[in-house]
Amino acid sequence: MNPDTRTFESILRPHDSLDRFVFERAPIQGRIVHLDATWRAVLERRRYPEPVRDLLGELMAATALLTATLKFDGKLTLQVQGDGPVRLLVVECSSERAMRAIAQWQGDVPTGPPSQLLGNGRLVITIDPLKGKERYQGIVELKGDSIARVLEGYFARSEQLATRLWLAADARQAAGMLLQRLPDKPSPDHDAWKRATHLTSTLTREELMALPAQDILHRLYHEEDVRLFARVPVSFRCSCSRERVEGVLCMLGEVEVRSILAEKGRVDVDCEFCGQHYTLDPVDAEQLFAALHTTKAAPTRH
């Protein structure tokens, strides 16, 4: 193994880090993510039943891993919709690795496999690039006994890209590891993918969550030629803003907003992701819709 030069901090696992590695003699790339403060920031904003919490943490780790495999400026969203006790899981991650997440459930959530918690449903993967580029969305049925298996199925069916994922989460942290076989890159080592996935399958949940990336790679691939790149940070950050709230109210419509104002005297909006509270009073609403009418009435020059 040939890792980049590391400082003393590599002795202890860093918080909220994403590491990239490649096999030098085989078309295989990998990612390892550890979410500590980022994950706890999500949990501080809403109290989740343990089964819901762990599912959301695994999806959050998976979203960070998948974002790191893309070369784009924008946002990746993973959304799991089901008809079981857990109705919705949503995780967003920007290309700058700023994340937010939320889950919705109904009634008492029993301990059980994801197939039981989610029931029948679908996984929606959305890539929103910036600068007017085309939006991509992929949708697959929930097939698999874990979040990892569902995503592997998506890559196999929709992307024809061999991908394996290992995910774990608890009340303090979420972690994940990804392996991908790169297409259109021939290799003389025809058993490399089979060997790499077999070795990685020996990684325990405890090791994934506790060990830094360098130790994980040494533990799994000490006989392989693997290069570990410099780690990059991950953080919690919500993209909500007053401007976005006003945009939602404009879509809701002037009649509906005025109806709420007549009944309550103000419009209250809370961000489900971060809990930020926004309030619009009658003066705010008048200014908002006056600006909207002015924009619509602006003459067009030819």
Side-chain angles (χ1 to χ4, degrees):
M1 188 173 127
N2 182 29
D4 290 351
T5 302
R6 297 291 182 149
T7 63
F8 177 74
E9 73 170 345
S10 66
I11 296 175
L12 298 175
R13 181 171 59 75
H15 296 282
D16 303 294
S17 61
L18 183 63
D19 291 89
R20 179 170 72 94
F21 63 93
V22 296
F23 282 66
E24 295 281 30
R25 300 180 182 179
I28 300 172
Q29 67 173 352
R31 305 288 188 274
I32 297 174
V33 67
H34 290 105
L35 303 174
D36 292 341
T38 303
W39 174 225
R40 291 196 295 273
V42 171
L43 298 183
E44 287 169 359
R45 286 159 172 80
R46 180 168 295 193
R47 199 176 186 88
Y48 293 107
E50 184 175 327
V52 180
R53 178 201 71 199
D54 291 352
L55 275 180
L56 185 62
E58 290 184 8
L59 189 67
M60 196 168 184
T63 306
L65 292 169
L66 298 186
T67 302
T69 67
L70 302 175
K71 294 182 179 179
F72 79 117
D73 291 324
K75 177 180 65 177
L76 172 68
T77 303
L78 263 60
Q79 184 177 118
V80 177
Q81 305 167 349
D83 61 5
V86 181
R87 296 306 179 103
L88 182 69
L89 304 170
V90 181
V91 180
E92 294 180 359
C93 184
S94 73
S95 48
E96 289 78 31
R97 299 169 301 281
M99 305 191 72
R100 64 179 189 168
I102 193 171
Q104 295 177 358
W105 70 97
Q106 185 173 18
D108 295 329
V109 181
T111 300
S115 57
Q116 177 183 340
L117 299 177
L118 295 166
N120 297 314
R122 61 182 188 170
L123 165 72
V124 182
I125 297 180
T126 306
I127 300 175
D128 282 312
L130 300 176
K131 301 178 182 178
K133 295 184 179 180
E134 187 175 354
R135 184 172 181 259
Y136 167 83
Q137 189 169 81
I139 302 174
V140 294
E141 294 182 14
L142 294 179
K143 292 185 177 180
D145 58 0
S146 68
I147 294 292
R149 299 294 87 78
V150 171
L151 286 166
E152 289 171 2
Y154 162 78
F155 277 100
R157 293 190 293 272
S158 301
E159 305 294 330
Q160 288 79 53
L161 187 61
T163 303
R164 291 293 310 275
L165 286 151
W166 292 263
L167 306 169
D170 61 16
R172 293 188 55 81
Q173 56 189 313
M177 183 169 177
L178 172 146
L179 282 184
Q180 274 187 341
R181 182 169 58 189
L182 300 174
D184 304 323
K185 288 190 176 182
S187 169
D189 188 350
H190 300 294
D191 294 326
W193 175 251
K194 182 178 179 180
R195 189 170 64 251
T197 55
H198 173 73
L199 290 170
T200 313
S201 67
T202 66
L203 181 68
T204 67
R205 171 189 173 91
E206 291 72 25
E207 289 172 331
L208 175 59
M209 298 182 75
L211 296 178
Q214 187 172 18
D215 290 356
I216 289 175
L217 297 184
H218 179 74
R219 146 87 168 79
L220 298 175
Y221 314 126
H222 59 275
E223 295 184 355
E224 306 288 335
D225 190 4
V226 176
R227 189 199 319 176
L228 177 62
F229 296 88
R231 66 175 59 98
V232 294
V234 186
S235 64
F236 174 88
R237 185 170 73 240
C238 190
S239 58
C240 72
S241 67
R242 188 173 182 85
E243 290 72 21
R244 291 195 175 199
V245 170
E246 290 176 348
V248 172
L249 294 178
C250 286
M251 290 189 291
L252 185 62
E254 186 174 353
V255 173
E256 183 65 24
V257 171
R258 291 189 183 281
S259 175
I260 296 173
L261 287 170
E263 179 183 353
K264 299 183 178 180
R266 65 184 186 182
V267 179
D268 293 307
V269 180
D270 292 315
C271 176
E272 291 187 330
F273 286 94
C274 69
Q276 179 67 41
H277 181 76
Y278 298 91
T279 298
L280 276 79
D281 60 22
V283 174
D284 296 326
E286 289 297 334
Q287 292 175 343
L288 173 64
F289 289 111
L292 184 63
H293 293 321
T294 300
T295 302
K296 289 182 177 179
T300 302
R301 293 187 179 184
H302 297 280

